Amino acid sequence: MSFRLRVLMLVAVVAVTAVGATAYLAFKQASRQVTESAAADRSTTDLIVGDLVTYARRHGTWIGVPPTVEQLARTTGQRIRLVAETGEVVVDTDTLTGRTARAVSAAPTVADARPRLRLPQPPQSRVVGPPTATPELTPTGPTTSTEVPVGPEEEKSLRELALITTREMLLYRDGVRLAACTSRHGVLATISTDDYGVPVYGVSAADAPKVSDCHHSISSSEEVAQRESVNACAEAAKLGEPDTTGVRCLEQVFSDAIADIAPVPLRVYLGAVGDTTTRLAPGPVIAAAVLVALLALAGTALLSRRVLRPIGVLTRAAHRLGAGDLSLRVPAVGRDELAQLARSFNRMADSLQRGEERQRRLVADVAHELRTPLANLRGYLEALKDGVLPISPELFASLYEEAVLQQRIVDDLQDLALAEAGVLAYHMTTTDLTELLETCRSAQQAVADVAQVTLWVAADGPVVALVDPDRLRQVIGNLLANAVRATPAGGSVTLSAAGPAGGWATLVVRDTGIGIAAANLPHVFDRFWRADASRGRATGGSGLGLAIARQIVADHGGQIRVDSQPGAGTAFTITLPAGSPRAGR
């Protein structure tokens, strides 16, 4: 499997897995939140039911309640549905907002605005409310009371309690009618609670003229009916001292008597709960996940193409380079890692091409340099074999010179190869460079005398450096021999040493010879290069000495440079570190 395909598949798997997992978790979380948000918390429920009960008590009816329900829905953020005991829907905020009413199945909360009559309990143990207030109704029932003993002054007969019950029933029925009537006229009746927990309705003096037609009196038949139900309860209790059973009977009679006129209890549903809860549709979520996955795949494909295309170019170029095509280069655009890799490849290819070209030139130069002495040897030997030339000492001397020249070329090539490979042996020792120059001058003095060239050594004193004296003599001897050959009779060659200054020692070989043209200076240290190509080998050398000299100096951690002016002479300057050299071979 290709690297491109593996990268694409890996990123695709990661992208699809990540997007799929994210979509699944988002869907589950959103569904759970929708389900949980459909049910109101207890505090919100108490607030809504309490406001609804207050409305029913103030108005004496549920008529006109939709605006209040709508306001409560906006305040609490809940969907509110009011249903009568008969199943009739009184109001639903879904319908008010213009949407289809959602079904409900959870248990509702009851909003019951009917009062509960609270009569004095039997003297042994009656239940009373706080000593400073009469019992108040809450949306779900009376407040918690405490059992306390009562004294004889608080005891009442059951007959008296029956009269109180009758009065409270008639008072409440008349008050509810008044509240409902004033509400229709846009006036809210005043409301208070008497000692028995029954609301007492009235109209302020300012609003009385507006609702003058709302005052009704209890009919005699209605009053008789209410008294009969109370008397029946009292007779059932044998008209004895009040007990718990009789009191409860009267309170139940009160509740039954106001049931036909009090606001009916309503079931309050909040939110859309149960199996009918609206859930998130998986289709859009899946579509979004697929779209994100496709975008991730497209982005991955583009990224892989951007990354792998340059790698493919480099791979093809490397194959061609391995096959021997050193001329191929790859485009390097940008500053990222791939561009740096391309530039490094191009530099490597340039280096290999230059090395290949140097190797070819070296082979050609070696063949050229060896061809002439070998041809001379072969010619003389064939002449001797055929008897064309007589055997003479002069002929043997000539053949010997050709063999020596050939041996010198081979030795120089071996030294250069070892030096460039970094395996040329060095034996470092602390050496006086001034004394080394004197040694080199003495070695070349005979040749200089024949050429009528004067040799000088100039130094202020000992110049000490850590070098291989034999290898350094080889360098100085080569430079000195070249200088003598390039200097006409009557000229001079000066060897000078200075330093160490700044940690460097300097050696200079300066002649007063013919000099080197500026165009030829960059090629001075090339293999087999000669300033005068027409010069014979008797005076021209092998052309490898300067290349060997440069490598030896470089192995010592130094540098060699050349300065020349045609007709004025040439100077070779060597700088060497006075301390430990870079190469300690």
Side-chain angles (χ1 to χ4, degrees):
M1 186 179 297
S2 67
F3 181 74
R4 178 193 294 269
L5 185 58
R6 282 185 291 175
V7 171
L8 181 60
M9 290 182 62
L10 176 61
V11 177
V13 169
V14 172
V16 171
T17 303
V19 172
T22 303
Y24 175 78
L25 293 176
F27 175 77
K28 295 293 290 184
Q29 182 70 14
S31 297
R32 186 175 63 182
Q33 290 180 351
V34 169
T35 301
E36 291 176 351
S37 65
D41 58 24
R42 188 62 192 174
S43 61
T44 303
T45 301
D46 292 344
L47 172 65
I48 293 174
V49 173
D51 287 354
L52 291 175
V53 169
T54 300
Y55 177 90
R57 287 183 176 179
R58 295 289 306 270
H59 295 76
T61 179
W62 291 110
I63 298 175
V65 76
T68 301
V69 173
E70 190 173 8
Q71 178 62 34
L72 286 172
R74 286 195 299 267
T75 303
T76 62
Q78 294 293 326
R79 177 267 183 107
I80 304 175
R81 179 185 179 97
L82 303 182
V83 181
E85 292 179 343
T86 60
E88 178 186 0
V89 177
V90 176
V91 62
D92 191 332
T93 53
D94 275 359
T95 305
L96 294 178
T97 56
R99 65 179 294 178
T100 302
R102 292 167 288 175
V104 292
S105 61
T109 303
V110 177
D112 190 358
R114 297 174 299 179
R116 302 290 188 270
L117 181 64
R118 297 291 182 261
L119 294 174
Q121 297 299 311
Q124 293 83 3
S125 171
R126 73 178 178 88
V127 179
V128 296
T132 59
T134 57
E136 290 290 342
L137 293 179
T138 64
T140 56
T143 57
T144 303
S145 301
T146 306
E147 289 189 1
V148 295
V150 295
E153 69 278 8
E154 296 184 18
E155 297 180 7
K156 295 182 182 293
S157 67
L158 190 59
R159 185 178 298 277
E160 289 174 325
L161 294 179
L163 292 175
I164 293 174
T165 301
T166 302
R167 184 190 66 195
E168 294 295 325
M169 286 191 301
L170 298 176
L171 181 64
Y172 179 75
R173 292 177 67 86
D174 183 61
V176 168
R177 290 193 183 98
L178 176 63
C181 182
T182 58
S183 178
R184 289 194 295 271
H185 288 76
V187 176
L188 290 179
T190 62
I191 184 172
S192 61
T193 305
D194 63 13
D195 294 339
Y196 303 102
V198 178
V200 178
Y201 295 92
V203 179
S204 65
D207 293 332
K210 301 177 184 179
V211 293
S212 57
D213 60 339
C214 290
H215 293 283
H216 301 280
S217 58
I218 301 296
S219 64
S220 58
S221 61
E222 182 180 358
E223 183 176 353
V224 169
Q226 301 303 326
R227 291 183 184 276
E228 288 179 353
S229 61
V230 171
N231 291 334
C233 182
E235 290 296 333
K238 310 252 185 231
L239 299 177
E241 290 297 326
D243 58 9
T244 303
T245 302
V247 171
R248 289 180 178 174
C249 179
L250 292 175
E251 290 176 349
Q252 183 61 45
V253 168
F254 176 86
S255 297
D256 295 341
I258 67 172
D260 63 330
I261 196 169
V264 298
L266 297 181
R267 296 192 297 272
V268 182
Y269 296 90
L270 301 180
V273 296
D275 296 336
T276 58
T277 300
T278 301
R279 298 184 179 274
L280 290 180
V285 177
I286 295 175
V290 171
L291 177 61
V292 173
L294 291 177
L295 292 177
L297 290 175
T300 302
L302 293 177
L303 178 63
S304 64
R305 181 179 180 184
R306 169 68 182 87
V307 172
L308 297 179
R309 183 171 58 181
I311 295 178
V313 174
L314 283 170
T315 302
R316 291 190 293 271
H319 283 305
R320 293 181 59 179
L321 186 67
D325 185 1
L326 303 180
S327 62
L328 184 62
R329 301 294 183 270
V330 296
V333 180
R335 302 177 60 183
D336 56 7
E337 293 81 1
L338 292 176
Q340 295 177 5
L341 178 61
R343 295 187 184 95
S344 298
F345 177 87
N346 291 338
R347 287 194 295 269
M348 178 189 68
D350 290 339
S351 178
L352 291 175
Q353 188 174 24
R354 289 193 298 269
E356 181 74 12
E357 291 174 354
R358 287 195 300 269
Q359 182 179 0
R360 291 176 180 175
R361 287 198 304 271
L362 176 60
V363 172
D365 291 341
V366 170
H368 175 74
E369 294 296 327
L370 295 179
R371 182 181 297 112
T372 300
L374 288 176
N376 290 336
L377 288 174
R378 179 180 178 180
Y380 280 116
L381 292 175
E382 288 180 351
L384 289 173
K385 177 183 177 181
D386 296 337
V388 175
L389 291 177
I391 298 176
S392 64
E394 293 78 7
L395 180 57
F396 278 109
S398 176
L399 294 178
Y400 176 77
E401 290 178 0
E402 291 295 340
V404 169
L405 177 60
Q406 185 173 342
Q407 181 66 46
R408 187 175 65 183
I409 293 175
V410 173
D411 291 342
D412 288 345
L413 284 174
Q414 183 180 15
D415 289 344
L416 183 60
L418 293 175
E420 291 183 344
V423 295
L424 190 63
Y426 292 91
H427 303 284
M428 299 297 183
T429 183
T430 302
T431 304
D432 183 358
L433 300 183
T434 302
E435 182 179 349
L436 185 143
L437 293 181
E438 285 287 352
T439 302
C440 292
R441 183 189 66 80
S442 300
Q444 295 290 333
Q445 186 64 55
V447 177
D449 291 343
V450 173
Q452 300 180 6
V453 175
T454 305
L455 301 182
W456 301 91
V457 174
D460 296 336
V463 178
V464 179
L466 186 63
V467 297
D468 183 336
D470 293 335
R471 294 298 180 187
L472 197 56
R473 276 197 300 269
Q474 182 180 354
V475 173
I476 300 299
N478 183 277
L479 295 178
L480 186 56
N482 290 341
V484 171
R485 284 195 295 266
T487 303
S492 63
V493 177
T494 303
L495 306 175
S496 61
W504 295 89
T506 303
L507 301 177
V508 180
V509 178
R510 187 185 304 274
D511 64 54
T512 58
I514 59 176
I516 303 173
N520 294 329
L521 286 178
H523 306 288
V524 167
F525 297 101
D526 291 348
R527 300 181 183 92
F528 300 110
W529 182 86
R530 296 182 181 85
D532 184 2
S534 64
R535 293 173 65 183
R537 281 174 173 75
T539 58
S542 66
L544 295 173
L546 291 180
I548 297 174
R550 180 178 61 179
Q551 190 63 49
I552 291 176
V553 172
D555 289 344
H556 277 77
Q559 294 180 349
I560 183 172
R561 71 176 187 272
V562 59
D563 299 296
S564 182
Q565 292 183 358
T570 302
F572 285 87
T573 303
I574 300 173
T575 55
L576 296 170
S580 299
R582 181 184 62 186
R585 295 183 291 267

